[in-house]
């Protein structure tokens, strides 16, 4: 019976190895599927990142244009205020005297 027991042990070992090989193949297939799923998810995230970056670039352009418009408006307002003040100062100032002591005629209005 020693030989039959050895043969039975050998068959049991082969069976366990075969089952382990099948389990490894299943695990390998699962790993490949998970790898492909992750690859697809990464590709989707890359596309999403590209869309977000494009929206940020668009927003930056809008923000820059808005800032330029606001700055232009502020400069125009400041220049208008300076122009008004200059006009008030010109109207309030006495006419400049000439070198010979005579008054110069007032500046012609446009």
């Amino acid at each position: 019976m020693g030989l039959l027991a050895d043969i039975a042990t050998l068959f049991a070992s082969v069976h366990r190895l075969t089952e382990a090989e099948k389990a490894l193949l299943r695990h390998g297939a699962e790993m490949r599927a998970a790898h492909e799923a992750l690859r697809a998810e990464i590709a989707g995230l890359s596309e999403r990142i590209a869309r977000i970056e494009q929206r940020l670039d668009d927003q930056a352009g809008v923000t820059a244009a808005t800032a330029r418009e606001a700055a232009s408006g502020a400069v125009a307002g400041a220049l208008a205020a300076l122009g008004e003040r200059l006009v008030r100062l010109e109207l309030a100032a006495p006419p400049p005297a000439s070198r010979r002591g005579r008054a110069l005629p007032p500046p012609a209005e446009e």
Side-chain angles (χ1 to χ4, degrees):
M1 282 227 312
L3 182 60
L4 287 178
D6 289 343
I7 291 174
T9 304
L10 178 64
F11 280 131
S13 296
V14 169
H15 178 70
R16 283 194 306 272
L17 285 173
T18 303
E19 291 301 315
E21 183 180 17
K22 288 178 187 176
L24 283 174
L25 289 174
R26 279 192 306 272
H27 183 67
E30 291 170 0
M31 293 299 289
R32 280 190 295 280
H35 181 75
E36 289 302 317
L38 285 174
R39 187 180 295 253
E41 190 173 334
I42 288 171
L45 289 174
S46 296
E47 292 171 4
R48 186 173 177 202
I49 288 170
R51 286 192 308 269
I52 289 170
E53 287 175 344
Q54 182 61 43
R55 271 192 269 156
L56 288 174
D57 289 345
D58 293 345
Q59 287 295 325
V62 168
T63 302
T66 304
R68 279 192 300 273
E69 290 173 9
S72 296
V75 169
L79 287 175
L82 286 174
E84 290 172 5
R85 185 169 179 209
L86 181 61
V87 167
R88 282 194 310 269
L89 288 174
E90 286 178 350
L91 293 176
S98 70
R99 292 185 180 194
R100 296 185 186 171
R102 294 184 311 210
L104 296 174
E109 294 197 19
E110 296 180 34

